[in-house]
Amino acid sequence: MASITPISNSQSLFKKPQIPALKKPKVQFLSLPISNFSSKKARMVVVSATTAAEKSSNKKYPGESKGFVEEMRFVAMKLHTKDQAKEGEKECQGPPMAKWEPKIEGYLKFLVDSKLVFDTLERIVDKAAFPEYANFKNTGLERSESLAKDLEWFKEQGHAIPEASSPGISYSKYLEELSENDPQAFICHFYNTYFAHSAGGRMIGRKVAQMILNGKELEFYKWDGDLSQLLQNVREKLNRVAESWTREEKNHCLEETEKSFKYSGDILRLILS
């Protein structure tokens, strides 16, 4: 806050003038110190800025009262298409699932690239470049081993297993880079990848199985134990980790959601390739 600096002779101007007897008093013109006005203006600016900061800090984000995972869920749901979720706001860019015409070759590409992404996530968590990552070891949501079993089954059926393609390779590389330098952004991808697969991913798996696998349920869509409880355990851990983040770090995490959807969407579209 600006301070008021007194002008050296200003105090004498405000003292009661000593008027000599029998003499006509002199007329004096007083000039108020300019610093009085500038100081008041400065105080007004400081108060205004403080008030704005307080309002910003008091802003409530959708889902915030229930924990940070609910904030992430809210942002993710907005990025769904309108036919995927009632909260979705995006327009569908491809054919609706009811009109999909998947083939085994495309589905295998999707499974191979998905395995590369889950391999990467699980390796990052195991290495734990940041201590927070260690909270997410052995959660029961891991998918790498299940995908390995599924690909082996396809191989036994006489299908050639393709190499990982550009969408999976690009996403894996991006996750590796994030995990070393940007833990909040990485956690966003971790959350969206595992939680999306447990919800919309399962629905897609059932539909594709009905179309090209005679209804066979792959290991990719099975979990040991109660899935809802496994998800709740991870949800609580994510909330605890985020408690130590600043509001800016939380917002940074939320802003990464769109990239997460882009990368996972590129892999999902392999089913129709």
Side-chain angles (χ1 to χ4, degrees):
M1 181 179 293
S3 60
I4 300 175
T5 305
I7 295 179
S8 60
N9 64 347
S10 62
Q11 293 181 350
S12 61
L13 294 176
F14 289 97
K15 291 181 180 180
K16 184 176 180 180
Q18 301 296 319
I19 303 175
L22 303 178
K23 288 186 179 181
K24 184 177 181 180
K26 296 180 180 179
V27 178
Q28 297 186 12
F29 295 93
L30 304 182
S31 59
L32 293 176
I34 294 176
S35 60
N36 283 336
F37 293 97
S38 61
S39 298
K40 289 179 182 178
K41 184 176 180 181
R43 283 199 297 272
M44 291 173 65
V45 171
V46 171
V47 170
S48 176
T50 303
T51 303
E54 288 174 351
K55 286 181 179 179
S56 177
S57 64
N58 292 332
K59 177 183 177 181
K60 293 297 182 183
Y61 290 78
E64 184 177 4
S65 61
K66 296 182 180 180
F68 187 62
V69 170
E70 185 63 16
E71 291 188 52
M72 288 196 285
R73 189 198 72 81
F74 181 86
V75 173
M77 293 305 293
K78 293 294 183 184
L79 292 175
H80 281 70
T81 60
K82 295 176 181 178
D83 64 333
Q84 289 175 326
K86 62 181 180 180
E87 300 169 70
E89 295 183 352
K90 294 289 185 179
E91 296 294 337
C92 186
Q93 296 181 344
M97 190 180 301
K99 296 184 178 180
W100 279 15
E101 296 181 359
K103 294 181 175 60
I104 293 288
E105 293 76 16
Y107 193 46
L108 282 172
K109 291 178 184 178
F110 163 74
L111 293 175
V112 167
D113 279 31
S114 293
K115 184 176 185 300
L116 176 58
V117 171
F118 282 104
D119 285 344
T120 304
L121 288 168
E122 289 161 29
R123 182 172 62 253
I124 289 169
V125 165
D126 188 60
K127 185 172 65 173
F130 288 86
E132 294 88 345
Y133 298 167
N135 289 283
F136 307 107
K137 291 182 181 180
N138 303 317
T139 63
L141 297 182
E142 292 79 16
R143 298 289 84 200
S144 185
E145 289 185 12
S146 297
L147 279 162
K149 293 177 182 179
D150 288 331
L151 292 172
E152 183 61 29
W153 179 83
F154 277 103
K155 186 176 180 180
E156 291 171 356
Q157 306 307 306
H159 297 288
I161 308 302
E163 296 293 325
S165 58
S166 178
I169 293 171
S170 297
Y171 197 12
S172 175
K173 182 179 178 181
Y174 184 67
L175 289 170
E176 290 278 10
E177 293 171 353
L178 278 186
S179 69
E180 296 289 339
N181 306 300
D182 197 339
Q184 284 77 32
F186 172 74
I187 290 295
C188 174
H189 288 265
F190 177 92
Y191 162 77
N192 279 293
T193 301
Y194 283 102
F195 278 68
H197 177 65
S198 70
R202 282 197 297 165
M203 178 184 69
I204 291 170
R206 285 195 296 268
K207 291 289 186 182
V208 173
Q210 292 168 3
M211 293 175 179
I212 62 175
L213 299 178
N214 294 319
K216 175 181 172 58
E217 184 180 15
L218 297 181
E219 296 298 317
F220 190 26
Y221 306 100
K222 299 178 184 178
W223 287 263
D224 293 329
D226 182 2
L227 177 58
S228 62
Q229 187 59 55
L230 295 175
L231 291 169
Q232 180 59 26
N233 293 341
V234 174
R235 193 177 289 113
E236 291 173 358
K237 291 178 179 180
L238 286 166
N239 281 333
R240 284 198 296 271
V241 166
E243 284 176 359
S244 64
W245 294 352
T246 65
R247 184 65 252 178
E248 288 73 17
E249 288 172 330
K250 290 179 179 179
N251 289 347
H252 177 60
C253 176
L254 297 176
E255 289 163 0
E256 190 71 15
T257 307
E258 194 157 2
K259 284 187 180 179
S260 173
F261 268 61
K262 177 190 177 300
Y263 278 109
S264 60
D266 289 344
I267 293 175
L268 181 63
R269 280 188 284 275
L270 289 172
I271 294 177
L272 302 179
S273 64

